[in-house]
Amino acid sequence: MKRRDLIKKLEKNGWWKLRDGANHDIYTNGKANEPIPRHNEINELLAKTIIKRQGLK
């Protein structure tokens, strides 16, 4: 999955960028934080895990 597609999905569900980490960007919805790696392509298993863990639609 493209990184920008995952970020669009996060932002569509009310998440925003909290801060930049060393190798990840940290996104939050005010309750939970989720590190997103800075790769153009994110492994499909990782992307699906993030989507499932955060209950994104």
Side-chain angles (χ1 to χ4, degrees):
M1 174 180 269
K2 296 269 186 208
R3 180 177 188 270
R4 66 178 173 255
D5 294 336
L6 181 59
I7 290 173
K8 282 181 188 178
K9 186 177 283 282
L10 281 167
E11 291 175 344
K12 183 179 173 186
N13 284 278
W15 291 70
W16 65 92
K17 187 175 185 179
L18 179 64
R19 64 182 173 87
D20 294 323
N23 296 317
H24 296 74
D25 291 333
I26 311 301
Y27 280 78
T28 187
N29 65 357
K31 297 179 183 177
N33 294 335
E34 188 64 52
I36 306 297
R38 283 201 197 113
H39 302 290
N40 289 334
E41 279 289 325
I42 296 177
N43 184 307
E44 283 296 321
L45 291 175
L46 176 59
K48 287 180 182 180
T49 301
I50 291 171
I51 291 168
K52 184 176 178 183
R53 177 173 41 214
Q54 300 306 336
L56 302 177
K57 297 175 185 169

